[in-house]
Amino acid sequence: MQSRHGFLADHLWPALLGALAFMLVVGARALDPTNIAWLGDGDAAQHYLGWLFYRQAPWGFPLGGNPGYGLEIANSVIYADAIPLLAFVFKPLSLLPETFQYIGLWLFICFVAQGWIAWRLAGLFAQRRSVQTLVTALLVFSPPMFLRLHDHSSLAGHFLILAALYLYFRPGNARRLLCWAPVLTIAALVHAYLLGMTGGIWVLDVATRRLRGELPTRAVLAETVALMTMVGVACWQAGYFGIGTGAVASGYGYYRMNLLALFDADGWSYLLGDIPQAEGEYEGFNYLGLGLVVLAAFAVVILVLRRPRFGAALRRHPLLLPAAGAVLLFALTNRIGIGGYEFEFPLPEKLYYLASVFRASGRMFWPVFYLVALGILYAVVRYGPPRLIVAVLSVALVLQIADTRAGWWPMRQRFDTEPSQTWPQALAGPFWEQAAARYTRVRHIAPKSMAPHWAQLSFFAGTHGMTTDAVYLARVSRDAMRQSEQNAATRLRDGQYEADTLFILDNRSVQAARATLNDDDILVRVDGLNVLAPGWNRCTTCMPVASIQAP
């Protein structure tokens, strides 16, 4: 039986390290479930609004369906990046406050789990508690993870990558299915990119252990069938399969990683300058942090002096370097950037199409990022002077925290926005209140994902129990979008608009709408938006049109 001291050291202590890092980098305000002030723009707004509409939607099948968020182009909660894992947990709870967000809780979980799993990884090669603590803290202070905290919160789940790497490196095969099943299933219920990364590590683990003779063919087949079934069901219920060809999007080769990304601070260092890079390479941000960069230099010196032999390790992990190289090539794409320079080679159309499923290829390097970090830390701990290891790691940790503050402190200011249960840009006033009472839907013409003012319109619709196609979705069915565009064009041409729907028109559509406008409908400009309100002139209780500026 594990002693109380051992339990505290192995479980509560590493979790506490993660919690302390959360309080430093994010802060307590994000944990207030009624505070949405910090979720009012960009991708953060998408995550909250996807949950808001999913919360109000009736239960359907698959469970992740989110029909009110997008109308004809709607698909599921997974494509709003609203973390289905937690959406499934909180949707049935009727006692939640009217304004409720779980994204702050998710970030806290990410930090705590990052610390807890990093502790186990560190324990594979660090024998002393002090060394294990320092290694854990260095793995928690991960710039690529921190970059995702606000705008791509679902992608902050780097603990899943660490968990997969731990299962790969741990000795033995005990409880394989019980360990891999939750890692892959949770990844599927968080984000497709995390599923791709953890799934790739699982394939590497199975192949490696099969080559070493640790797994018989029958066991490999049984595990594969079981995991594919569980992950397939999770993906099905999260709503992955409802978009057809929409799963493929353009951008592969643009959202790439630069070859120098490990050393490119890109604003995350006070001391290291930025390396020139192309516009889309922000998705390939994989900066090690000054502490790990210094440790890397120290590790190189140690390895040159000690000249350790890695033959046994290479024989034990024969597929690790080829797999890491393949991931690197995928992250670099066929348009390889080296600092400010670029060269390109052609890619077959079919291969480009397949690669575009994970178009933001720079993200896919994260498992290799942690392999590099672990390799640096392993070299220092294993081959460094025993008396200096704690001091060297301590200095590196101070550098890692203090210097990366250049990147995470401005982000902390966004989390520290004055708490609020609404957004400053929210549509309010007599017109909008009367419109919310009269209409049940809000449509944008011309329809598209991430239309102008989509966050304002979605927030207005969601907080008034309406549905809308003014949304931001990560992926959209091309057929559904085409049909929605055709319907919008028909409405403009014929001047026939659903009586229960409020229409917001872009500037290009205003002239066409005015040419076919019915006497009962109004076309006005409110708070900078072109609004077409069907049947408004028949409403005896609605505010007069004369008080609204015409477009």
Side-chain angles (χ1 to χ4, degrees), residues 317-403:
H317 303 284
L319 302 177
L320 184 59
L321 290 181
V327 170
L328 172 62
L329 290 176
F330 182 82
L332 294 174
T333 77
N334 62 312
R335 296 177 56 202
I336 299 177
I338 307 175
Y341 300 93
E342 176 185 316
F343 65 92
E344 183 176 355
F345 59 89
L347 201 63
E349 185 175 348
K350 289 184 178 180
L351 194 56
Y352 179 85
Y353 181 83
L354 290 174
S356 295
V357 173
F358 295 110
R359 62 172 186 159
S361 62
R363 303 172 181 175
M364 300 303 288
F365 186 76
W366 293 341
V368 182
F369 168 88
Y370 286 108
L371 282 174
V372 172
L374 286 167
I376 294 169
L377 294 167
Y378 176 85
V380 172
V381 172
R382 183 69 181 272
Y383 301 109
R387 294 182 180 179
L388 294 180
I389 290 175
V390 171
V392 169
L393 291 175
S394 298
V395 170
L397 178 59
V398 170
L399 289 174
Q400 188 80 357
I401 296 173
D403 196 54

Side-chain angles (χ1 to χ4, degrees), residues 51-75:
W51 151 247
L52 175 63
F53 281 85
Y54 180 69
R55 177 186 181 182
Q56 298 172 358
W59 283 107
F61 204 79
L63 299 178
N66 200 9
Y69 190 65
L71 300 176
E72 286 86 354
I73 65 171
N75 42 57

Side-chain angles (χ1 to χ4, degrees), residues 221-431:
L221 292 175
E223 182 176 311
T224 300
V225 170
L227 288 177
M228 292 293 286
T229 300
M230 284 185 278
V231 171
V233 170
C235 290
W236 171 35
Q237 292 304 310
Y240 280 85
F241 307 132
I243 56 172
T245 58
V248 176
S250 62
Y252 183 75
Y254 178 79
Y255 299 112
R256 69 192 185 209
M257 171 185 163
N258 193 284
L259 192 59
L260 304 181
L262 288 171
F263 306 101
D264 181 10
D266 196 22
W268 280 68
S269 173
Y270 295 113
L271 298 179
L272 299 182
D274 297 342
I275 299 174
Q277 62 176 354
E279 185 178 1
E281 289 179 347
Y282 70 90
E283 282 288 4
F285 177 77
N286 281 283
Y287 175 52
L288 285 168
L290 183 59
L292 282 173
V293 169
V294 169
L295 282 181
F298 185 66
V300 169
V301 173
I302 291 172
L303 295 179
V304 169
L305 295 176
R306 292 290 185 92
R307 297 184 180 180
R309 296 181 179 180
F310 296 106
L314 292 176
R315 287 191 296 273
R316 185 162 180 77
H317 303 284
L319 302 177
L320 184 59
L321 290 181
V327 170
L328 172 62
L329 290 176
F330 182 82
L332 294 174
T333 77
N334 62 312
R335 296 177 56 202
I336 299 177
I338 307 175
Y341 300 93
E342 176 185 316
F343 65 92
E344 183 176 355
F345 59 89
L347 201 63
E349 185 175 348
K350 289 184 178 180
L351 194 56
Y352 179 85
Y353 181 83
L354 290 174
S356 295
V357 173
F358 295 110
R359 62 172 186 159
S361 62
R363 303 172 181 175
M364 300 303 288
F365 186 76
W366 293 341
V368 182
F369 168 88
Y370 286 108
L371 282 174
V372 172
L374 286 167
I376 294 169
L377 294 167
Y378 176 85
V380 172
V381 172
R382 183 69 181 272
Y383 301 109
R387 294 182 180 179
L388 294 180
I389 290 175
V390 171
V392 169
L393 291 175
S394 298
V395 170
L397 178 59
V398 170
L399 289 174
Q400 188 80 357
I401 296 173
D403 196 54
T404 57
R405 186 178 183 273
W408 55 258
W409 185 251
M411 188 182 301
R412 169 66 187 258
Q413 308 310 304
R414 299 171 74 181
F415 288 114
D416 277 341
T417 303
E418 188 66 25
S420 174
Q421 295 187 30
T422 188
W423 292 343
Q425 70 273 29
L427 300 174
F431 173 83

Side-chain angles (χ1 to χ4, degrees), residues 164-213:
L165 289 173
Y166 172 75
L167 293 178
Y168 170 78
F169 283 115
R170 69 167 185 160
N173 286 307
R175 300 187 299 275
R176 285 185 54 81
L177 189 59
L178 290 176
C179 293
W180 276 110
V183 171
L184 297 181
T185 303
I186 291 172
L189 294 176
V190 173
H191 202 285
Y193 278 81
L194 294 174
L195 175 60
M197 295 175 210
T198 55
I201 298 170
W202 169 73
V203 171
L204 176 64
D205 180 51
V206 168
T208 300
R209 293 180 188 271
R210 181 69 189 92
L211 282 176
R212 295 201 300 244

